[in-house]
Each structure stands twice: as C-alpha cells, then as structure tokens.
Amino acid sequence: PPGMPQRLYEGNVLFNLPPPVVDGYLILLGKFDQSDVTKPSKNEEEDELPFQAIINGNVIDACFGNTLTSRNECRSAKSYFEAVGTDPKARHQIVVAYSECFLAAKRINDGTSALDRCSSSLLCGMCSTKRARIRIEERHMEETFFSPLVDICAAKTNTKASFL
C-alpha cells in the first residue's frame, strides 16, 4: 500500500469551516446526532457510506483546503486509507477519526470546547480564545482518535507509526 500520509488534516482549514458546512459533513458521516463517535458499529455496512465519503468523496478535502499541496495531501490520505480500509477495525477507526474532526469543528463553532477540556483549576484567559480552543481540540483529537488510527494502520501495513 502507499505510505502513511504526513498529515491527516489541516487545523487552520478544518476549524474555520462555516457551521452549516460542518453540519453537512456530520450528516454525511452519520454522526450529526451522535455524541459518542467511538461507539462500535453494529455491522460493517454501518461504516460503508461514511468510509466511501472519506475516500471517494470530499470529506478529507474539507479537512485540508484547496491548495496544490493540500490536494496532494488529500490524494495521499485517500489512497492510503483505501488500502488499509479493507480491515474493518481500520475502516471503523478512519470513520471515527474524521467524524471527530467535524464534531471538534462543531464544538469550536459553538464555543463549547475549551471550558470542557481545560485542565486548569482556574479559568485561564487563554481558554477563552478561539486559537486556544483549537489547540485543545487538536490535542484531544490526536491523542484520542488519530493516534489509535495511526497505530492500527501501521500494524496493518507493517510500518512505523508516525503522525503529524
């Protein structure tokens, strides 16, 4: 299979998508009304439409933007996920990770992310800025959703896990 992509999304693009666009992608991924994206699929078919939207649609494109570099990164990610997506566990984690991207963007748009995840016992001024909320969401996404995805994909392709 193709090599692991260098990046799996671009935060500056993803977290600046307009709320209706984010909601549209959540609907496409089947996660609009679902708060627990990690819930296992009842069957493999449940992940089929979202997975196809990721590798053949424009879900990943929305996570990168529309520059020449980002289009190349999109193609790389789609090819890689198509190759490793034959494994149901990898396919599910791909759907979970990208669903979480759009749920995180929704939290950023709603202004609800930073205070939910701030580890400070005092309300720090940093958490009130959009930039800080984005950093908090990215850290949470990387640790909780993308790291397991990278590990699963690396094991499937016998490559060393790396991310961003």
Side-chain angles (χ1 to χ4, degrees), residues 19-36:
V21 172
V22 170
D23 289 346
Y25 283 108
L26 285 170
I27 291 167
L28 185 60
L29 293 167
K31 305 297 182 184
F32 187 71
D33 293 325
Q34 187 174 340
S35 60
D36 184 8

Side-chain angles (χ1 to χ4, degrees), residues 103-125:
L103 286 169
K106 184 171 181 62
R107 288 189 295 268
I108 293 295
N109 286 335
D110 294 347
T112 59
S113 66
L115 299 178
D116 294 340
R117 296 201 198 325
C118 183
S119 59
S120 174
S121 59
L122 301 172
L123 179 61
C124 58

Side-chain angles (χ1 to χ4, degrees), residues 51-146:
F51 180 74
Q52 291 302 321
I54 291 167
I55 64 164
N56 293 316
N58 64 351
V59 170
I60 290 180
D61 305 66
C63 295
F64 279 105
N66 194 23
T67 66
L68 179 59
T69 301
S70 65
R71 286 191 300 271
N72 290 335
E73 289 175 318
C74 287
R75 279 192 293 278
S76 172
K78 288 178 179 185
S79 295
Y80 183 75
F81 291 142
E82 184 173 21
V84 299
T86 57
D87 178 311
K89 186 175 180 181
R91 179 180 289 233
H92 179 70
Q93 193 60 41
I94 292 164
V95 171
V96 165
Y98 282 96
S99 296
E100 179 56 28
C101 278
F102 290 97
L103 286 169
K106 184 171 181 62
R107 288 189 295 268
I108 293 295
N109 286 335
D110 294 347
T112 59
S113 66
L115 299 178
D116 294 340
R117 296 201 198 325
C118 183
S119 59
S120 174
S121 59
L122 301 172
L123 179 61
C124 58
M126 183 183 93
C127 289
S128 63
T129 68
K130 182 175 181 178
R131 187 177 196 180
R133 291 193 320 262
I134 288 171
R135 280 197 309 271
I136 291 166
E137 286 295 343
E138 283 186 314
R139 190 174 320 120
H140 174 69
M141 283 178 8
E142 289 166 12
E143 292 172 0
T144 309
F145 301 102
F146 280 103

Side-chain angles (χ1 to χ4, degrees), residues 34 36-43 46-47 92:
Q34 187 174 340
D36 184 8
V37 297
T38 61
K39 183 180 101 178
S41 301
K42 293 177 185 148
N43 56 51
E46 212 173 286
D47 286 331
H92 179 70

